[in-house]
Amino acid sequence: MGGQYRITGDKYPRMRPPRRRGRLAVLAAACVTALGLLGWGTLQLVDVFTGGGGGEKTSAVGAEAGCAVAASPSPTARALPDPGRITVNVLNATTRGGLAKQTAEELKKRGFRIGDVGNAPEEYDKKVKGSGVLLGPAASLDGALPVLAAQLPAAERRTDAAREGTAVDLIIGDGFTALAKRADAERALAELAEPQPAPTGRKSC
């Protein structure tokens, strides 16, 4: 070549490839960003499938702990007859002698009036397998029978619509061992007269 563009000397410029540092930096930043997004997405999936949100769950439990359980309105007190106004016929349906007399004496000590004392009628004689049967007129279902049942909780309660009068029967069965303890019977009578309100399960926060 000639003219002003003639190359002189023994050194020539070398053709070098463009530097790639800028591309490498951009690529590294993109990789870091992608890894960060992948990790965040994984954590979100774990929370979804394992019911995450521990902090929120803890606070929710704390809030529930402070909630009060609403109670239902107090039941109306029942007007039950006093034992002294209840006449009880004590009848023995077992083969064990003396049970009717012993039970009648104990009921008398607890304030009940005692009517007939003896063996059970044929329809019940040796046919009561449980501790006993409490039998009375229909009106006694919500009066005399619950009061008498406090003395013998395991006894079966029955009513006879055709029965006249107010007396009730305590028919002693094969499973009878003794009347309830006096303190337990008095506690049961108190609960019958003034029942306690039961929780409704509704919470107010």
Side-chain angles (χ1 to χ4, degrees):
M1 298 178 64
Q4 60 179 340
Y5 297 106
R6 178 178 294 178
I7 299 174
T8 60
D10 57 356
K11 296 182 178 180
Y12 302 94
R14 297 180 180 179
M15 301 301 291
R16 297 180 178 177
R19 295 183 178 181
R20 298 179 180 179
R21 292 181 179 177
R23 293 182 181 179
L24 291 175
V26 172
L27 182 59
C31 290
V32 171
T33 302
L35 289 174
L37 291 175
L38 181 61
W40 179 83
T42 303
L43 289 176
Q44 293 300 312
L45 288 175
V46 170
D47 284 345
V48 168
F49 288 104
T50 61
E56 295 180 0
K57 187 174 181 180
T58 302
S59 61
V61 171
E64 290 181 2
C67 296
V69 179
S72 60
S74 299
T76 305
R78 300 174 63 177
L80 296 172
D82 186 82
R85 298 173 57 189
I86 300 174
T87 300
V88 183
N89 301 318
V90 185
L91 308 174
N92 187 4
T94 75
T95 58
R96 293 175 286 169
L99 281 183
K101 183 179 179 181
Q102 295 173 7
T103 304
E105 290 176 352
E106 182 60 30
L107 286 175
K108 185 176 182 179
K109 293 178 183 178
R110 299 184 184 191
F112 289 89
R113 292 181 180 178
I114 302 302
D116 296 334
V117 178
N119 294 325
E122 183 178 356
E123 60 180 309
Y124 290 103
D125 190 30
K126 301 178 184 63
K127 298 176 184 178
V128 180
K129 302 303 180 183
S131 61
V133 173
L134 307 182
L135 178 64
S140 67
L141 184 61
D142 294 323
L145 286 186
V147 175
L148 183 58
Q151 313 300 322
L152 191 60
E156 179 184 353
R157 305 180 201 180
R158 297 181 186 178
T159 59
D160 183 358
R163 181 166 175 155
E164 298 180 354
T166 59
V168 293
D169 297 343
L170 191 163
I171 304 173
I172 301 172
D174 293 334
F176 177 86
T177 55
L179 296 174
K181 293 182 179 179
R182 190 163 187 169
D184 293 339
E186 291 176 353
R187 187 180 305 110
L189 285 174
E191 293 176 356
L192 281 173
E194 297 181 5
Q196 298 297 317
T200 60
R202 291 183 289 104
K203 294 184 178 180
S204 58
C205 301

